[in-house]
Amino acid sequence: MRIPRHSHRSTRGALMAAALMLMIVSGIFVSSWVTLMSTRAAQVSYLEDITKRRIGVESSRLLSWQCITDKGFERNGTMAAAQNTVLGSDIGGFNTVNGWNNLNVYTSTSTAGGMTTVFPFNHTGLRPGASYLTVEQLARPSSGVAGNIDDYNAWQFLKTMPPVLNGDVFCVYRKPDSIGTELDIYRNAGSGSAGHNAHWTVEGRTVVRHPPSFFVSSTPSPLQLPFRTKSLYIQSHAAAEPPSIPYPVYGTDMNGNPLMPSNMPVVPSTTGPIGGSGDRRHLGYLKVVRNDDNPDNSLWHFQDREAAAGRTATITIDVSGVFNSATEAYWIAEQKNPTYTPPGWPSGYDDKLKVLFIKLDSAYLKNMRIYGVVDQIIFVGQSNAAAFENAASLKPVIITVMPNGAKGRWVRDVRFERENNRRHVLAFQDDNGRPVEFSWVNNPISGTEFRWRCVLVNEFQSIMFNMPNALTRTVRWIGGVMTNWTVKRRAAGGTNPSRLLFTGDSDPAVPAATNSGPAFATFLPRDAWLESYFLPVAPP
């Protein structure tokens, strides 16, 4: 059968149309693919640029933080204005803007309330409570130096504050170097006059700066601190080291239940340079009783400062001769039959006990440096309610207690007579961790509680609190504790944690009053920390 000619033409046309359609579709696909690849290539190019800019900004942020952490806590540090530090073009850098001259955060008395510029931050910051504040600015170097890095401002808020005035009532720092035994604020050891325990109550925060200081081979892990506290804050770089927590510590709440430590971000803090090799400022050390490497945060040098300003002289007790004066607030006696017999008497003592009396409500009281030439100190408190209330308005004093030479004789016994409402700092510094007994004598002004207002600073001394003999009587230590060594309670006083209370200076148990002279905060050691606010600047 013969196929008509027009049928051949129809088939050929269909094939040509199909081929044309295929060519068009293929062209569209190829064109789309080329366009897509071109777009993708442009996107990758932009992403590469964005990544480089992001890396540059992040590098700048970290470099700014490193600079201020290193240079901002130096004593009398100086950075020239408008100086550039760069890692490389497009990599990161900063400009010092106005710079700083003789910067010393430990002497700053500026507060957020006195600032004339509003910054985007909560003035109480990462720690509750007000603080002294120093503000420095770092910014992006010029584009010719920095390359393609986004503009930014790195605001550096350098803060300082005595921790005991901001609710950190019981602060435990890193133990001294080369000490193999643990920093003991948790063990129960024996009974009777030689035994000791850790049963007390902290009406505020307990802050631990270096958990490894608690741990030796016999330390239970996890470690529970048995004394009761409102909150526990682990402020240490070693607090959590992924993938495990090598030194786990938890506490005991006010009802006797397990208390987990705060999970707030750790803010590195420092009491300043402490000497020795390397930078050890942010490792949790306490060196504030006498620190020649940082005299602006040293109690010994605070005493010199007050004397130089003509406000309060300093008395040095470096001889034990009998002394008495109607115009001084202290006297020295030798007692063959001690008024208050120290533990172990007379073993280890001379035939007469050398006793230093200090009258805390005297207007003549001066700052004091006491060496181990005396065996016992008796702090004489107020005798009635009116004197107790008036004592809060007296100017603060600083009392430092040290051995008589390297590993020499030390003050072994301290008695607190009646009650005291005068603000003062009592600072112990030893070279061998030897014990000092704290005891309360005579009677409270009223009621059954001995109220004693004082900030205790302890460097490598073993402080042992002895409860009053009458089981109904308690001790309220008002002001707080900063320690890098043992603070314990003698087992003879039982285990009731309510018999020994540690509270802050604002405790309503004492009449509210502002002391005369400089603010009490200027008599106390400070912690310093950095809060950095990195703000990219939006393009115009």
Side-chain angles (χ1 to χ4, degrees):
M1 183 177 61
R2 187 176 177 187
I3 299 175
R5 184 178 295 275
H6 69 274
S7 298
H8 287 286
R9 292 175 178 172
S10 298
T11 301
R12 191 182 305 123
L15 291 173
M16 290 179 65
L20 181 60
M21 183 62 69
L22 179 61
M23 291 176 64
I24 292 173
V25 171
S26 298
I28 294 173
F29 177 78
V30 171
S31 177
S32 300
W33 178 257
V34 170
T35 302
L36 180 62
M37 291 300 294
S38 176
T39 303
R40 181 61 176 166
Q43 182 188 25
V44 169
S45 177
Y46 286 132
L47 285 174
E48 181 181 1
D49 183 58
I50 292 170
T51 302
K52 288 176 63 177
R53 292 169 64 182
R54 179 68 176 176
I55 291 174
V57 168
E58 284 299 302
S59 296
S60 299
R61 181 178 66 84
L62 292 174
L63 187 63
S64 299
W65 181 87
Q66 181 180 3
C67 169
I68 204 71
T69 301
D70 182 41
K71 302 297 184 182
F73 296 112
E74 287 183 345
R75 182 171 185 262
N76 298 327
T78 298
M79 289 285 282
Q83 298 299 303
N84 293 318
T85 297
V86 294
L87 297 172
S89 181
D90 301 337
I91 299 176
F94 64 82
N95 182 277
T96 55
V97 192
N98 295 325
W100 55 84
N101 185 48
N102 292 327
L103 177 65
N104 192 337
V105 298
Y106 294 101
T107 60
S108 170
T109 56
S110 299
T111 63
M115 294 169 61
T116 57
T117 302
V118 177
F119 292 97
F121 81 112
N122 176 1
H123 79 278
T124 62
L126 299 173
R127 292 186 177 186
S131 60
Y132 295 115
L133 177 66
T134 302
V135 181
E136 299 296 342
Q137 180 189 9
L138 300 174
R140 188 198 71 173
S142 62
S143 58
V145 176
N148 191 23
I149 298 176
D150 293 341
D151 197 10
Y152 68 83
N153 281 314
W155 294 106
Q156 312 296 340
F157 299 100
L158 297 143
K159 296 186 173 184
T160 61
M161 195 63 188
V164 293
L165 294 184
N166 262 8
D168 296 346
V169 173
F170 201 90
C171 301
V172 187
Y173 293 78
R174 183 176 184 145
K175 70 180 182 180
D177 289 336
S178 304
I179 304 301
T181 54
E182 81 271 40
L183 192 164
D184 179 15
I185 57 168
Y186 68 92
R187 289 189 184 275
N188 287 350
S191 61
S193 61
H196 47 82
N197 59 48
H199 295 288
W200 58 80
T201 299
V202 178
E203 294 187 345
R205 285 187 299 276
T206 296
V207 180
V208 174
R209 301 301 173 90
H210 189 249
S213 291
F214 297 145
F215 285 81
V216 291
S217 60
S218 60
T219 303
S221 183
L223 170 63
Q224 181 176 18
L225 301 179
F227 57 87
R228 301 187 180 191
T229 182
K230 284 190 175 180
S231 62
L232 174 63
Y233 184 24
I234 307 295
Q235 192 187 44
S236 166
H237 289 297
E241 297 176 356
S244 63
I245 301 177
Y247 302 104
V249 177
Y250 67 102
T252 304
D253 70 13
M254 303 296 277
N255 296 315
N257 301 316
L259 173 66
M260 293 299 101
S262 171
N263 60 358
M264 291 176 61
V266 172
V267 181
S269 65
T270 175
T271 58
I274 64 169
S277 59
D279 185 358
R280 304 194 295 166
R281 286 175 295 180
H282 291 85
L283 299 181
Y285 288 99
L286 179 68
K287 187 177 180 182
V288 295
V289 177
R290 180 175 182 176
N291 185 357
D292 296 331
D293 294 298
N294 191 26
D296 296 301
N297 202 32
S298 166
L299 295 169
W300 181 280
H301 296 87
F302 290 172
Q303 292 173 325
D304 289 338
R305 176 198 67 195
E306 293 302 298
R311 291 187 289 261
T312 305
T314 298
I315 298 295
T316 300
I317 306 297
D318 54 3
V319 293
S320 61
V322 173
F323 167 83
N324 201 349
S325 170
T327 59
E328 293 291 352
Y330 73 96
W331 60 96
I332 297 175
E334 292 184 349
Q335 299 181 341
K336 194 169 186 64
N337 296 304
T339 303
Y340 303 113
T341 304
W345 169 266
S347 177
Y349 292 89
D350 296 334
D351 60 341
K352 293 183 179 180
L353 191 72
K354 298 176 177 61
V355 184
L356 170 65
F357 293 83
I358 300 174
K359 196 170 187 297
L360 284 173
D361 61 359
S362 171
Y364 300 110
L365 184 62
K366 301 175 176 62
N367 294 318
M368 301 187 74
R369 295 171 178 169
I370 303 170
Y371 290 94
V373 295
V374 294
D375 304 307
Q376 184 183 71
I377 301 175
I378 298 177
F379 288 97
V380 181
Q382 290 82 63
S383 58
N384 55 66
F388 184 83
E389 183 169 356
N390 292 335
S393 61
L394 294 172
K395 63 183 179 181
V397 292
I398 299 170
I399 300 172
T400 60
V401 185
M402 300 179 180
N404 190 30
K407 298 191 184 332
R409 292 181 60 152
W410 78 103
V411 175
R412 289 186 266 178
D413 193 68
V414 176
R415 303 294 169 122
F416 303 101
E417 195 172 73
R418 296 189 292 266
E419 299 182 62
N420 170 64
N421 194 25
R422 183 179 194 156
R423 293 178 174 92
H424 66 287
V425 186
L426 179 57
F428 285 82
Q429 186 182 73
D430 193 32
D431 48 18
N432 208 27
R434 296 172 293 188
V436 175
E437 305 291 334
F438 282 12
S439 304
W440 275 260
V441 293
N442 208 298
N443 299 304
I445 293 173
S446 64
T448 60
E449 184 176 67
F450 286 93
R451 297 166 295 172
W452 198 268
R453 193 174 212 164
C454 173
V455 171
L456 173 64
V457 180
N458 175 41
E459 294 180 5
F460 203 23
Q461 193 94 64
S462 293
I463 305 295
M464 296 291 174
F465 282 79
N466 292 274
M467 294 300 96
N469 290 331
L471 295 178
T472 57
R473 290 185 172 174
T474 61
V475 172
R476 180 179 290 266
W477 187 276
I478 302 169
V481 175
M482 301 171 68
T483 184
N484 69 355
W485 199 238
T486 297
V487 173
K488 299 295 286 293
R489 170 181 160 181
R490 285 296 183 194
T495 59
N496 184 349
S498 65
R499 291 200 69 200
L500 176 58
L501 306 178
F502 293 98
T503 70
D505 183 72
S506 58
D507 190 334
V510 292
T514 301
N515 58 264
S516 61
F520 188 42
T522 63
F523 288 78
L524 296 172
R526 300 187 193 181
D527 277 348
W529 68 97
L530 170 67
E531 294 179 17
S532 182
Y533 293 80
F534 190 89
L535 301 175
V537 178

